[in-house]
Amino acid sequence: MVVETEVLVRMPLAEYLRECGYRVCEAATVAEAKAVLNADTPVHLVVTEVNLPGEENGFMLASWVRQHHPDTHVVLASCVANSAEKAGDLCENGPMLAKPYQHEIVLQRIQALLRHAGKDHQRPM
């Protein structure tokens, strides 16, 4: 799942990942992401922007995912340099992704996480 407020950022990344063979859900807010995660569609990985609108941000979403869907991987992304320090153990497999997204780097991070987890890359994100 790609959680990103900016549609012009979210859609190209989601489309790129689809072209790479992934089934991708999209969400613009934490509430939308939680609804998808609580639906019947399995989600193996969430790429989320840290600075999401509303009362909850990407850090809160990552914490919620850890608590309610512990087998789902989380990758945090931010354009704010010091956000990586706040990520703590919420950010898997290295530092946060920097924005603007470099699609190839996002893909490499996803492949590494799913490979490490033994999940097929055709599974939903």
Side-chain angles (χ1 to χ4, degrees):
M1 176 186 322
V2 175
V3 186
E4 169 65 56
T5 303
E6 298 294 327
V7 68
L8 295 177
V9 174
R10 183 181 69 243
M11 289 179 65
L13 176 60
E15 186 59 32
Y16 173 78
L17 295 172
R18 287 183 186 107
E19 289 172 3
C20 292
Y22 292 95
R23 288 183 280 159
V24 181
C25 322
E26 298 178 44
T29 65
V30 171
E32 287 179 19
K34 286 180 177 180
V36 171
L37 286 160
N38 283 330
D40 291 336
T41 303
V43 175
H44 298 291
L45 189 138
V46 175
V47 176
T48 183
E49 161 64 45
V50 169
N51 297 314
L52 295 169
E55 295 180 18
E56 297 181 293
N57 61 28
F59 292 125
M60 293 173 177
L61 175 59
S63 293
W64 184 87
V65 169
R66 289 274 188 265
Q67 183 177 7
H68 295 91
H69 299 276
D71 291 334
T72 300
H73 296 283
V74 177
V75 176
L76 294 166
S78 178
C79 57
V80 179
N82 67 355
S83 292
E85 297 171 9
K86 298 177 186 176
D89 63 352
L90 297 175
C91 193
E92 296 177 284
N93 196 30
M96 298 173 75
L97 290 172
K99 287 182 68 180
Y101 296 114
Q102 292 182 0
H103 293 173
E104 296 80 14
I105 292 174
V106 175
L107 178 63
Q108 290 170 4
R109 179 76 56 88
I110 290 168
Q111 289 172 333
L113 282 170
L114 295 179
R115 187 172 39 250
H116 179 68
K119 300 206 171 150
D120 182 274
H121 82 281
Q122 297 295 323
R123 300 259 177 169
M125 309 188 354

